[in-house]
Amino acid sequence: MKIKIAVVGLGIGKAHIYYYQQIPDVEIIGVVDTNPDVLKDAAEKYNVRPFSSVEELLKSDIPDGVSICTPPSSHLKLTQIFAKKHVHILCEKPMAPRVSDCEKMIEVCEKNEVFLMIGFKKRFSPTYLFLKNKFENEFGLPKWVFAKFALGRVERQWFWDENDGGGPIVENTVHMIDLLHFLLGEVRTVYAEGGNLFMPEFAPQIDSAIFTMRFKNGAMAGIGAGYASEWIFAKEEVTFTSEKAVCEVKGPFDKPQNLQYIYRNNPSQVFEEKFDDADGFSGEIKHFVDCIKNNSIPVVGGNDGLYALKVCRAIKSSARRKKPVSI
Ligand SMILES: NC(=O)c1ccc[n+]([C@@H]2O[C@H](COP(=O)([O-])OP(=O)(O)OC[C@H]3O[C@@H](n4cnc5c(N)ncnc54)[C@H](O)[C@@H]3O)[C@@H](O)[C@H]2O)c1
């Protein structure tokens, strides 16, 4: 029996379709978009059945799992619709604009006994998985992290809207926050300098920030994020320093493919690794399908989505209040 999947929202949803189609025992029963041109193009390109609404899709068949790839303000409603039909959910990040939306999403999924996975692809990046294993088994957890995670220009209205994407410090920085949650644990306090520096048309939304984080285990991180680069030039660079090792991840934005590391007791020898599929997307989609097949709980769920949103909101709140904020 094939695993039946639907994809709703066909921007980044097209990448979901592509990765589902690489898995032999998945059947995409339909794709949905409210924009007819987008829907037609994607249906033709990927040879999948188009639906103009989730109601039409659900009249035709009930999938085992759905990718929700629409803007964040629609995630709660769509999650409620699919959970009530007992469909497992992979919801794109950020989970939702408000903490209360995230709580309702967790509740409806628990009540209907479906799982809710959040699309934090970096947890499936082979680069960061390699490092997680090294940190836990050899290097010790990082105590000092320095990350450059500045993205290029995005002009979609929903991205900037406080009640939807929340601007780059929520919509995009949430990936880095979840990664650090995954690798280092929970955050105690954040302090941010940030503001509307480059996109006055979306003021007062914060478009860029530089912030520090202190973790509950004592580790500290400094991060530069937001619209402070341009796509063709944007990089993802993270240095992790632990007691035994210094590790540097480098690559184009969202493609952290190159890793160099040294042991601090032998710093002249540099080790190098290069990883394929470094963005983690293919691993994320495969994990969702495996969880459906094996009836197992995803490694990243609603509570992680809620936590990352709270940290991103604390960063913005710190920048506005010019004070450290505790999580
Ligand atoms: N994981 C990643 O790397 C990644 C990358 C990009 C975007 N995202 C996330 O994915 C989500 C979508 O972002 P995007 O860049 O694809 O946006 P987009 O604006 O490019 O595409 C969204 C699509 O959803 C459609 N849509 C909106 N509401 C709908 C509804 N109720 N039912 C059906 N279709 C609907 C729109 O017509 C549009 O085609 C956001 O949450 C975003 O943060 C994640």
PDB file of all heavy atoms in Angstrom, residues 8-13 16 32-35 38 52 54 68-72 74-75 78 92-94 119 121 156 158 171 175 254 281 284, ligand 1:
ATOM      1  N   VAL A   8      -0.443  21.309   0.221  1.00  0.00           N
ATOM      2  CA  VAL A   8      -1.266  22.524   0.145  1.00  0.00           C
ATOM      3  C   VAL A   8      -0.349  23.744   0.162  1.00  0.00           C
ATOM      4  O   VAL A   8       0.438  23.922   1.096  1.00  0.00           O
ATOM      5  CB  VAL A   8      -2.242  22.600   1.345  1.00  0.00           C
ATOM      6  CG1 VAL A   8      -3.149  23.826   1.201  1.00  0.00           C
ATOM      7  CG2 VAL A   8      -3.065  21.336   1.445  1.00  0.00           C
ATOM      8  N   GLY A   9      -0.470  24.583  -0.871  1.00  0.00           N
ATOM      9  CA  GLY A   9       0.400  25.768  -1.003  1.00  0.00           C
ATOM     10  C   GLY A   9       1.594  25.400  -1.856  1.00  0.00           C
ATOM     11  O   GLY A   9       2.405  24.542  -1.489  1.00  0.00           O
ATOM     12  N   LEU A  10       1.692  26.049  -3.025  1.00  0.00           N
ATOM     13  CA  LEU A  10       2.665  25.567  -4.021  1.00  0.00           C
ATOM     14  C   LEU A  10       3.752  26.586  -4.342  1.00  0.00           C
ATOM     15  O   LEU A  10       4.151  26.744  -5.488  1.00  0.00           O
ATOM     16  CB  LEU A  10       1.910  25.114  -5.274  1.00  0.00           C
ATOM     17  CG  LEU A  10       0.876  24.019  -4.988  1.00  0.00           C
ATOM     18  CD1 LEU A  10       0.052  23.706  -6.218  1.00  0.00           C
ATOM     19  CD2 LEU A  10       1.544  22.761  -4.445  1.00  0.00           C
ATOM     20  N   GLY A  11       4.247  27.253  -3.281  1.00  0.00           N
ATOM     21  CA  GLY A  11       5.504  27.996  -3.406  1.00  0.00           C
ATOM     22  C   GLY A  11       6.590  26.981  -3.040  1.00  0.00           C
ATOM     23  O   GLY A  11       6.986  26.138  -3.862  1.00  0.00           O
ATOM     24  N   ILE A  12       6.998  26.990  -1.782  1.00  0.00           N
ATOM     25  CA  ILE A  12       7.962  25.985  -1.317  1.00  0.00           C
ATOM     26  C   ILE A  12       7.332  24.580  -1.345  1.00  0.00           C
ATOM     27  O   ILE A  12       8.043  23.570  -1.340  1.00  0.00           O
ATOM     28  CB  ILE A  12       8.481  26.332   0.107  1.00  0.00           C
ATOM     29  CG1 ILE A  12       9.774  25.562   0.438  1.00  0.00           C
ATOM     30  CG2 ILE A  12       7.431  26.059   1.167  1.00  0.00           C
ATOM     31  CD1 ILE A  12      10.939  25.913  -0.426  1.00  0.00           C
ATOM     32  N   GLY A  13       6.021  24.553  -1.449  1.00  0.00           N
ATOM     33  CA  GLY A  13       5.323  23.260  -1.577  1.00  0.00           C
ATOM     34  C   GLY A  13       5.815  22.471  -2.782  1.00  0.00           C
ATOM     35  O   GLY A  13       5.774  21.231  -2.786  1.00  0.00           O
ATOM     36  N   HIS A  16       8.449  20.257  -1.677  1.00  0.00           N
ATOM     37  CA  HIS A  16       7.878  19.083  -0.993  1.00  0.00           C
ATOM     38  C   HIS A  16       7.465  18.040  -2.032  1.00  0.00           C
ATOM     39  O   HIS A  16       7.766  16.852  -1.881  1.00  0.00           O
ATOM     40  CB  HIS A  16       6.677  19.497  -0.136  1.00  0.00           C
ATOM     41  CG  HIS A  16       7.036  20.223   1.126  1.00  0.00           C
ATOM     42  ND1 HIS A  16       6.692  19.788   2.384  1.00  0.00           N
ATOM     43  CD2 HIS A  16       7.717  21.382   1.313  1.00  0.00           C
ATOM     44  CE1 HIS A  16       7.142  20.647   3.295  1.00  0.00           C
ATOM     45  NE2 HIS A  16       7.759  21.626   2.664  1.00  0.00           N
ATOM     46  N   VAL A  32      -3.011  21.482  -3.705  1.00  0.00           N
ATOM     47  CA  VAL A  32      -4.007  22.543  -3.587  1.00  0.00           C
ATOM     48  C   VAL A  32      -3.319  23.897  -3.606  1.00  0.00           C
ATOM     49  O   VAL A  32      -2.294  24.084  -2.933  1.00  0.00           O
ATOM     50  CB  VAL A  32      -4.776  22.426  -2.235  1.00  0.00           C
ATOM     51  CG1 VAL A  32      -5.900  23.466  -2.168  1.00  0.00           C
ATOM     52  CG2 VAL A  32      -5.332  21.029  -2.030  1.00  0.00           C
ATOM     53  N   ASP A  33      -3.880  24.827  -4.366  1.00  0.00           N
ATOM     54  CA  ASP A  33      -3.465  26.228  -4.241  1.00  0.00           C
ATOM     55  C   ASP A  33      -4.650  27.097  -4.635  1.00  0.00           C
ATOM     56  O   ASP A  33      -5.385  26.760  -5.567  1.00  0.00           O
ATOM     57  CB  ASP A  33      -2.235  26.541  -5.115  1.00  0.00           C
ATOM     58  CG  ASP A  33      -1.492  27.782  -4.625  1.00  0.00           C
ATOM     59  OD1 ASP A  33      -2.052  28.907  -4.743  1.00  0.00           O
ATOM     60  OD2 ASP A  33      -0.375  27.636  -4.098  1.00  0.00           O
ATOM     61  N   THR A  34      -4.812  28.205  -3.927  1.00  0.00           N
ATOM     62  CA  THR A  34      -5.930  29.097  -4.227  1.00  0.00           C
ATOM     63  C   THR A  34      -5.634  29.991  -5.427  1.00  0.00           C
ATOM     64  O   THR A  34      -6.539  30.643  -5.936  1.00  0.00           O
ATOM     65  CB  THR A  34      -6.247  29.975  -2.982  1.00  0.00           C
ATOM     66  OG1 THR A  34      -5.018  30.471  -2.463  1.00  0.00           O
ATOM     67  CG2 THR A  34      -6.950  29.177  -1.913  1.00  0.00           C
ATOM     68  N   ASN A  35      -4.381  30.009  -5.861  1.00  0.00           N
ATOM     69  CA  ASN A  35      -4.034  30.784  -7.057  1.00  0.00           C
ATOM     70  C   ASN A  35      -4.075  29.839  -8.277  1.00  0.00           C
ATOM     71  O   ASN A  35      -3.248  28.925  -8.390  1.00  0.00           O
ATOM     72  CB  ASN A  35      -2.634  31.378  -6.875  1.00  0.00           C
ATOM     73  CG  ASN A  35      -2.188  32.188  -8.071  1.00  0.00           C
ATOM     74  OD1 ASN A  35      -2.494  31.859  -9.215  1.00  0.00           O
ATOM     75  ND2 ASN A  35      -1.445  33.238  -7.819  1.00  0.00           N
ATOM     76  N   VAL A  38      -0.781  29.334 -10.393  1.00  0.00           N
ATOM     77  CA  VAL A  38       0.236  28.566  -9.654  1.00  0.00           C
ATOM     78  C   VAL A  38      -0.159  27.088  -9.641  1.00  0.00           C
ATOM     79  O   VAL A  38       0.666  26.181  -9.860  1.00  0.00           O
ATOM     80  CB  VAL A  38       0.353  29.117  -8.207  1.00  0.00           C
ATOM     81  CG1 VAL A  38       1.226  28.216  -7.343  1.00  0.00           C
ATOM     82  CG2 VAL A  38       0.900  30.544  -8.222  1.00  0.00           C
ATOM     83  N   SER A  52      -8.653  23.271  -6.201  1.00  0.00           N
ATOM     84  CA  SER A  52      -8.627  24.702  -5.894  1.00  0.00           C
ATOM     85  C   SER A  52      -8.922  24.977  -4.421  1.00  0.00           C
ATOM     86  O   SER A  52      -8.813  26.114  -3.972  1.00  0.00           O
ATOM     87  CB  SER A  52      -9.613  25.453  -6.784  1.00  0.00           C
ATOM     88  OG  SER A  52     -10.886  24.893  -6.612  1.00  0.00           O
ATOM     89  N   VAL A  54      -9.015  22.911  -0.207  1.00  0.00           N
ATOM     90  CA  VAL A  54      -8.813  21.662   0.558  1.00  0.00           C
ATOM     91  C   VAL A  54     -10.127  20.902   0.667  1.00  0.00           C
ATOM     92  O   VAL A  54     -10.139  19.659   0.730  1.00  0.00           O
ATOM     93  CB  VAL A  54      -8.204  21.926   1.957  1.00  0.00           C
ATOM     94  CG1 VAL A  54      -6.805  22.459   1.850  1.00  0.00           C
ATOM     95  CG2 VAL A  54      -9.036  22.849   2.789  1.00  0.00           C
ATOM     96  N   ILE A  68       1.567  21.189   4.805  1.00  0.00           N
ATOM     97  CA  ILE A  68       0.930  22.515   4.798  1.00  0.00           C
ATOM     98  C   ILE A  68       2.025  23.542   4.519  1.00  0.00           C
ATOM     99  O   ILE A  68       2.905  23.764   5.354  1.00  0.00           O
ATOM    100  CB  ILE A  68       0.217  22.790   6.138  1.00  0.00           C
ATOM    101  CG1 ILE A  68      -0.914  21.778   6.325  1.00  0.00           C
ATOM    102  CG2 ILE A  68      -0.312  24.224   6.184  1.00  0.00           C
ATOM    103  CD1 ILE A  68      -1.690  21.919   7.624  1.00  0.00           C
ATOM    104  N   CYS A  69       1.972  24.120   3.322  1.00  0.00           N
ATOM    105  CA  CYS A  69       3.053  25.003   2.849  1.00  0.00           C
ATOM    106  C   CYS A  69       2.493  26.363   2.445  1.00  0.00           C
ATOM    107  O   CYS A  69       2.935  26.954   1.458  1.00  0.00           O
ATOM    108  CB  CYS A  69       3.768  24.370   1.658  1.00  0.00           C
ATOM    109  SG  CYS A  69       4.383  22.725   1.980  1.00  0.00           S
ATOM    110  N   THR A  70       1.514  26.830   3.196  1.00  0.00           N
ATOM    111  CA  THR A  70       0.904  28.139   2.945  1.00  0.00           C
ATOM    112  C   THR A  70       1.505  29.146   3.933  1.00  0.00           C
ATOM    113  O   THR A  70       2.220  28.757   4.862  1.00  0.00           O
ATOM    114  CB  THR A  70      -0.614  28.011   3.163  1.00  0.00           C
ATOM    115  OG1 THR A  70      -0.802  27.431   4.458  1.00  0.00           O
ATOM    116  CG2 THR A  70      -1.252  27.137   2.107  1.00  0.00           C
ATOM    117  N   PRO A  71       1.213  30.435   3.771  1.00  0.00           N
ATOM    118  CA  PRO A  71       1.719  31.403   4.751  1.00  0.00           C
ATOM    119  C   PRO A  71       1.238  31.085   6.177  1.00  0.00           C
ATOM    120  O   PRO A  71       0.155  30.501   6.365  1.00  0.00           O
ATOM    121  CB  PRO A  71       1.166  32.733   4.228  1.00  0.00           C
ATOM    122  CG  PRO A  71       1.055  32.513   2.742  1.00  0.00           C
ATOM    123  CD  PRO A  71       0.588  31.098   2.605  1.00  0.00           C
ATOM    124  N   PRO A  72       2.021  31.484   7.189  1.00  0.00           N
ATOM    125  CA  PRO A  72       1.768  31.053   8.572  1.00  0.00           C
ATOM    126  C   PRO A  72       0.382  31.374   9.120  1.00  0.00           C
ATOM    127  O   PRO A  72      -0.144  30.613   9.936  1.00  0.00           O
ATOM    128  CB  PRO A  72       2.851  31.790   9.376  1.00  0.00           C
ATOM    129  CG  PRO A  72       3.940  32.054   8.377  1.00  0.00           C
ATOM    130  CD  PRO A  72       3.289  32.224   7.050  1.00  0.00           C
ATOM    131  N   SER A  74      -2.362  30.942   7.904  1.00  0.00           N
ATOM    132  CA  SER A  74      -3.360  29.925   7.539  1.00  0.00           C
ATOM    133  C   SER A  74      -3.052  28.563   8.182  1.00  0.00           C
ATOM    134  O   SER A  74      -3.837  27.619   8.022  1.00  0.00           O
ATOM    135  CB  SER A  74      -3.415  29.785   6.011  1.00  0.00           C
ATOM    136  OG  SER A  74      -2.130  29.444   5.514  1.00  0.00           O
ATOM    137  N   HIS A  75      -1.944  28.440   8.895  1.00  0.00           N
ATOM    138  CA  HIS A  75      -1.542  27.110   9.392  1.00  0.00           C
ATOM    139  C   HIS A  75      -2.529  26.537  10.418  1.00  0.00           C
ATOM    140  O   HIS A  75      -2.800  25.330  10.409  1.00  0.00           O
ATOM    141  CB  HIS A  75      -0.128  27.174  10.001  1.00  0.00           C
ATOM    142  CG  HIS A  75       0.962  27.413   8.976  1.00  0.00           C
ATOM    143  ND1 HIS A  75       2.285  27.567   9.310  1.00  0.00           N
ATOM    144  CD2 HIS A  75       0.920  27.524   7.621  1.00  0.00           C
ATOM    145  CE1 HIS A  75       3.012  27.769   8.212  1.00  0.00           C
ATOM    146  NE2 HIS A  75       2.194  27.752   7.176  1.00  0.00           N
ATOM    147  N   LEU A  78      -5.850  25.317   8.609  1.00  0.00           N
ATOM    148  CA  LEU A  78      -5.616  24.119   7.786  1.00  0.00           C
ATOM    149  C   LEU A  78      -5.291  22.914   8.669  1.00  0.00           C
ATOM    150  O   LEU A  78      -5.746  21.787   8.402  1.00  0.00           O
ATOM    151  CB  LEU A  78      -4.486  24.388   6.777  1.00  0.00           C
ATOM    152  CG  LEU A  78      -4.874  25.360   5.650  1.00  0.00           C
ATOM    153  CD1 LEU A  78      -3.643  25.807   4.862  1.00  0.00           C
ATOM    154  CD2 LEU A  78      -5.904  24.722   4.708  1.00  0.00           C
ATOM    155  N   GLU A  92       4.879  23.690   7.523  1.00  0.00           N
ATOM    156  CA  GLU A  92       6.067  24.519   7.339  1.00  0.00           C
ATOM    157  C   GLU A  92       6.253  25.468   8.531  1.00  0.00           C
ATOM    158  O   GLU A  92       5.315  25.802   9.238  1.00  0.00           O
ATOM    159  CB  GLU A  92       5.955  25.326   6.025  1.00  0.00           C
ATOM    160  CG  GLU A  92       6.608  24.640   4.841  1.00  0.00           C
ATOM    161  CD  GLU A  92       8.115  24.405   5.029  1.00  0.00           C
ATOM    162  OE1 GLU A  92       8.697  24.888   6.006  1.00  0.00           O
ATOM    163  OE2 GLU A  92       8.704  23.720   4.180  1.00  0.00           O
ATOM    164  N   LYS A  93       7.478  25.879   8.723  1.00  0.00           N
ATOM    165  CA  LYS A  93       7.815  26.892   9.716  1.00  0.00           C
ATOM    166  C   LYS A  93       7.515  28.268   9.163  1.00  0.00           C
ATOM    167  O   LYS A  93       7.433  28.367   7.936  1.00  0.00           O
ATOM    168  CB  LYS A  93       9.271  26.789  10.171  1.00  0.00           C
ATOM    169  CG  LYS A  93      10.304  26.626   9.068  1.00  0.00           C
ATOM    170  CD  LYS A  93      10.276  27.516   7.865  1.00  0.00           C
ATOM    171  CE  LYS A  93      10.611  28.960   8.079  1.00  0.00           C
ATOM    172  NZ  LYS A  93      10.572  29.757   6.796  1.00  0.00           N
ATOM    173  N   PRO A  94       7.408  29.335   9.938  1.00  0.00           N
ATOM    174  CA  PRO A  94       7.154  29.276  11.368  1.00  0.00           C
ATOM    175  C   PRO A  94       5.778  28.654  11.598  1.00  0.00           C
ATOM    176  O   PRO A  94       4.881  28.792  10.767  1.00  0.00           O
ATOM    177  CB  PRO A  94       7.183  30.745  11.775  1.00  0.00           C
ATOM    178  CG  PRO A  94       6.955  31.534  10.532  1.00  0.00           C
ATOM    179  CD  PRO A  94       7.429  30.703   9.393  1.00  0.00           C
ATOM    180  N   GLY A 119       8.371  21.883   9.861  1.00  0.00           N
ATOM    181  CA  GLY A 119       9.397  21.765   8.817  1.00  0.00           C
ATOM    182  C   GLY A 119      10.718  22.441   9.149  1.00  0.00           C
ATOM    183  O   GLY A 119      11.167  23.318   8.399  1.00  0.00           O
ATOM    184  N   LYS A 121      13.973  21.984   8.660  1.00  0.00           N
ATOM    185  CA  LYS A 121      14.799  21.106   7.834  1.00  0.00           C
ATOM    186  C   LYS A 121      16.229  20.965   8.344  1.00  0.00           C
ATOM    187  O   LYS A 121      16.883  19.954   8.092  1.00  0.00           O
ATOM    188  CB  LYS A 121      14.800  21.611   6.389  1.00  0.00           C
ATOM    189  CG  LYS A 121      15.377  22.999   6.238  1.00  0.00           C
ATOM    190  CD  LYS A 121      15.213  23.531   4.818  1.00  0.00           C
ATOM    191  CE  LYS A 121      15.769  24.946   4.750  1.00  0.00           C
ATOM    192  NZ  LYS A 121      15.590  25.573   3.462  1.00  0.00           N
ATOM    193  N   ARG A 156       7.276  39.629  -0.347  1.00  0.00           N
ATOM    194  CA  ARG A 156       5.879  39.207  -0.163  1.00  0.00           C
ATOM    195  C   ARG A 156       5.292  39.879   1.078  1.00  0.00           C
ATOM    196  O   ARG A 156       5.908  39.864   2.148  1.00  0.00           O
ATOM    197  CB  ARG A 156       5.813  37.697   0.021  1.00  0.00           C
ATOM    198  CG  ARG A 156       6.182  36.956  -1.229  1.00  0.00           C
ATOM    199  CD  ARG A 156       5.990  35.467  -1.026  1.00  0.00           C
ATOM    200  NE  ARG A 156       6.661  34.736  -2.055  1.00  0.00           N
ATOM    201  CZ  ARG A 156       7.907  34.252  -1.920  1.00  0.00           C
ATOM    202  NH1 ARG A 156       8.564  34.404  -0.806  1.00  0.00           N
ATOM    203  NH2 ARG A 156       8.463  33.599  -2.909  1.00  0.00           N
ATOM    204  N   TRP A 158       2.899  38.972   3.085  1.00  0.00           N
ATOM    205  CA  TRP A 158       2.649  38.123   4.257  1.00  0.00           C
ATOM    206  C   TRP A 158       3.915  37.908   5.084  1.00  0.00           C
ATOM    207  O   TRP A 158       3.861  37.754   6.309  1.00  0.00           O
ATOM    208  CB  TRP A 158       2.036  36.774   3.851  1.00  0.00           C
ATOM    209  CG  TRP A 158       2.911  35.836   3.062  1.00  0.00           C
ATOM    210  CD1 TRP A 158       2.870  35.596   1.729  1.00  0.00           C
ATOM    211  CD2 TRP A 158       3.969  34.999   3.571  1.00  0.00           C
ATOM    212  NE1 TRP A 158       3.826  34.685   1.364  1.00  0.00           N
ATOM    213  CE2 TRP A 158       4.515  34.299   2.480  1.00  0.00           C
ATOM    214  CE3 TRP A 158       4.507  34.767   4.836  1.00  0.00           C
ATOM    215  CZ2 TRP A 158       5.568  33.396   2.607  1.00  0.00           C
ATOM    216  CZ3 TRP A 158       5.563  33.872   4.973  1.00  0.00           C
ATOM    217  CH2 TRP A 158       6.080  33.193   3.863  1.00  0.00           C
ATOM    218  N   GLU A 171      10.129  34.721  10.472  1.00  0.00           N
ATOM    219  CA  GLU A 171       9.929  33.826   9.321  1.00  0.00           C
ATOM    220  C   GLU A 171      11.176  33.008   9.016  1.00  0.00           C
ATOM    221  O   GLU A 171      11.101  31.825   8.706  1.00  0.00           O
ATOM    222  CB  GLU A 171       9.536  34.654   8.082  1.00  0.00           C
ATOM    223  CG  GLU A 171       8.846  33.854   6.995  1.00  0.00           C
ATOM    224  CD  GLU A 171       9.764  33.040   6.090  1.00  0.00           C
ATOM    225  OE1 GLU A 171      11.003  33.212   6.134  1.00  0.00           O
ATOM    226  OE2 GLU A 171       9.247  32.199   5.345  1.00  0.00           O
ATOM    227  N   HIS A 175      14.637  29.162  11.776  1.00  0.00           N
ATOM    228  CA  HIS A 175      15.433  27.977  11.428  1.00  0.00           C
ATOM    229  C   HIS A 175      16.688  27.888  12.307  1.00  0.00           C
ATOM    230  O   HIS A 175      17.033  26.814  12.802  1.00  0.00           O
ATOM    231  CB  HIS A 175      15.916  28.075   9.969  1.00  0.00           C
ATOM    232  CG  HIS A 175      14.971  27.533   8.950  1.00  0.00           C
ATOM    233  ND1 HIS A 175      14.443  26.265   8.997  1.00  0.00           N
ATOM    234  CD2 HIS A 175      14.484  28.083   7.809  1.00  0.00           C
ATOM    235  CE1 HIS A 175      13.672  26.067   7.943  1.00  0.00           C
ATOM    236  NE2 HIS A 175      13.671  27.158   7.205  1.00  0.00           N
ATOM    237  N   ASP A 254      21.352  28.542   3.460  1.00  0.00           N
ATOM    238  CA  ASP A 254      20.516  27.334   3.421  1.00  0.00           C
ATOM    239  C   ASP A 254      21.216  26.146   2.762  1.00  0.00           C
ATOM    240  O   ASP A 254      20.555  25.169   2.405  1.00  0.00           O
ATOM    241  CB  ASP A 254      19.178  27.594   2.710  1.00  0.00           C
ATOM    242  CG  ASP A 254      18.061  27.845   3.710  1.00  0.00           C
ATOM    243  OD1 ASP A 254      18.300  27.719   4.922  1.00  0.00           O
ATOM    244  OD2 ASP A 254      16.950  28.155   3.264  1.00  0.00           O
ATOM    245  N   PHE A 281      16.320  19.132   3.394  1.00  0.00           N
ATOM    246  CA  PHE A 281      14.948  18.961   2.908  1.00  0.00           C
ATOM    247  C   PHE A 281      14.595  17.494   2.637  1.00  0.00           C
ATOM    248  O   PHE A 281      13.535  17.004   3.037  1.00  0.00           O
ATOM    249  CB  PHE A 281      14.747  19.761   1.623  1.00  0.00           C
ATOM    250  CG  PHE A 281      13.592  20.685   1.690  1.00  0.00           C
ATOM    251  CD1 PHE A 281      13.741  22.031   1.400  1.00  0.00           C
ATOM    252  CD2 PHE A 281      12.339  20.225   2.055  1.00  0.00           C
ATOM    253  CE1 PHE A 281      12.683  22.897   1.467  1.00  0.00           C
ATOM    254  CE2 PHE A 281      11.264  21.084   2.128  1.00  0.00           C
ATOM    255  CZ  PHE A 281      11.447  22.432   1.833  1.00  0.00           C
ATOM    256  N   GLU A 284      14.066  15.559   5.745  1.00  0.00           N
ATOM    257  CA  GLU A 284      12.826  15.958   6.438  1.00  0.00           C
ATOM    258  C   GLU A 284      11.617  15.228   5.842  1.00  0.00           C
ATOM    259  O   GLU A 284      10.791  14.652   6.562  1.00  0.00           O
ATOM    260  CB  GLU A 284      12.658  17.477   6.290  1.00  0.00           C
ATOM    261  CG  GLU A 284      11.341  18.014   6.814  1.00  0.00           C
ATOM    262  CD  GLU A 284      11.102  19.464   6.379  1.00  0.00           C
ATOM    263  OE1 GLU A 284      12.030  20.289   6.516  1.00  0.00           O
ATOM    264  OE2 GLU A 284       9.998  19.760   5.907  1.00  0.00           O
TER     265      GLU A 284
HETATM  266  N1  LIG B   1      11.549  25.296   4.990  1.00  0.00           N
HETATM  267  C1  LIG B   1      11.936  26.216   4.126  1.00  0.00           C
HETATM  268  O1  LIG B   1      13.086  26.244   3.716  1.00  0.00           O
HETATM  269  C2  LIG B   1      10.962  27.229   3.639  1.00  0.00           C
HETATM  270  C3  LIG B   1      11.278  27.995   2.513  1.00  0.00           C
HETATM  271  C4  LIG B   1      10.341  28.922   2.061  1.00  0.00           C
HETATM  272  C5  LIG B   1       9.133  29.072   2.738  1.00  0.00           C
HETATM  273  N2  LIG B   1       8.875  28.321   3.848  1.00  0.00           N
HETATM  274  C6  LIG B   1       7.589  28.470   4.582  1.00  0.00           C
HETATM  275  O2  LIG B   1       6.573  27.884   3.774  1.00  0.00           O
HETATM  276  C7  LIG B   1       5.347  28.637   3.882  1.00  0.00           C
HETATM  277  C8  LIG B   1       4.979  29.164   2.494  1.00  0.00           C
HETATM  278  O3  LIG B   1       6.010  30.005   2.026  1.00  0.00           O
HETATM  279  P1  LIG B   1       6.247  30.253   0.452  1.00  0.00           P
HETATM  280  O4  LIG B   1       7.560  30.955   0.352  1.00  0.00           O
HETATM  281  O5  LIG B   1       6.044  29.009  -0.300  1.00  0.00           O
HETATM  282  O6  LIG B   1       5.065  31.280   0.167  1.00  0.00           O
HETATM  283  P2  LIG B   1       4.481  31.698  -1.275  1.00  0.00           P
HETATM  284  O7  LIG B   1       3.764  32.961  -1.038  1.00  0.00           O
HETATM  285  O8  LIG B   1       5.564  31.627  -2.296  1.00  0.00           O
HETATM  286  O9  LIG B   1       3.488  30.504  -1.614  1.00  0.00           O
HETATM  287  C9  LIG B   1       2.361  30.227  -0.825  1.00  0.00           C
HETATM  288  C10 LIG B   1       1.290  29.632  -1.730  1.00  0.00           C
HETATM  289  O10 LIG B   1       0.179  29.252  -0.890  1.00  0.00           O
HETATM  290  C11 LIG B   1      -1.029  29.593  -1.588  1.00  0.00           C
HETATM  291  N3  LIG B   1      -2.080  29.703  -0.564  1.00  0.00           N
HETATM  292  C12 LIG B   1      -2.238  30.677   0.358  1.00  0.00           C
HETATM  293  N4  LIG B   1      -3.263  30.383   1.188  1.00  0.00           N
HETATM  294  C13 LIG B   1      -3.771  29.196   0.763  1.00  0.00           C
HETATM  295  C14 LIG B   1      -4.815  28.353   1.225  1.00  0.00           C
HETATM  296  N5  LIG B   1      -5.553  28.678   2.292  1.00  0.00           N
HETATM  297  N6  LIG B   1      -5.042  27.188   0.575  1.00  0.00           N
HETATM  298  C15 LIG B   1      -4.296  26.845  -0.508  1.00  0.00           C
HETATM  299  N7  LIG B   1      -3.285  27.610  -0.989  1.00  0.00           N
HETATM  300  C16 LIG B   1      -3.017  28.758  -0.344  1.00  0.00           C
HETATM  301  C17 LIG B   1      -0.708  30.865  -2.334  1.00  0.00           C
HETATM  302  O11 LIG B   1      -1.577  31.062  -3.436  1.00  0.00           O
HETATM  303  C18 LIG B   1       0.727  30.628  -2.765  1.00  0.00           C
HETATM  304  O12 LIG B   1       0.830  30.054  -4.050  1.00  0.00           O
HETATM  305  C19 LIG B   1       5.647  29.733   4.909  1.00  0.00           C
HETATM  306  O13 LIG B   1       5.279  29.290   6.193  1.00  0.00           O
HETATM  307  C20 LIG B   1       7.154  29.908   4.809  1.00  0.00           C
HETATM  308  O14 LIG B   1       7.724  30.436   5.974  1.00  0.00           O
HETATM  309  C21 LIG B   1       9.762  27.403   4.292  1.00  0.00           C
END
